[in-house]
Amino acid sequence: RYGGASLQVVRRLRALLLHLREQALPENRAAVEAELARLDATVHEHFGDSVDLDSAQIDDPQGIGGLRRVAT
């Protein structure tokens, strides 16, 4: 699967957008929020009745559920 139907893609994209929201200038955050809303709609379209819905709503830079690195 590719795109919105891929669990790995939506998890990685969510991680990217959440990071971007933290780093974006205040005047650009609304655009990032709009993309997050589109991603949520896509996730619900593809995973709404799936056991993978919870997993699809989690941000994951690797997209595969690996451990996150913590900056020290």
Side-chain angles (χ1 to χ4, degrees):
R1 291 184 175 184
Y2 299 97
S6 168
L7 187 61
Q8 290 83 9
V9 169
V10 297
R11 289 171 61 110
R12 290 187 78 179
L13 185 56
R14 184 173 306 279
L16 178 132
L17 289 170
L18 290 174
H19 179 74
L20 181 60
R21 182 176 64 183
E22 292 174 6
Q23 303 299 316
L25 296 173
E27 59 267 24
N28 296 328
R29 288 192 186 124
V32 178
E33 290 292 341
E35 292 302 320
L36 280 165
R38 287 184 185 96
L39 178 59
D40 287 337
T42 298
V43 165
H44 282 284
E45 177 184 340
H46 291 284
F47 298 96
D49 59 352
S50 169
V51 297
D52 290 327
L53 178 60
D54 288 342
S55 293
Q57 294 175 314
I58 297 172
D59 60 304
D60 179 4
Q62 293 183 340
I64 57 173
L67 295 175
R68 295 179 188 208
R69 292 184 183 181
V70 177
T72 57

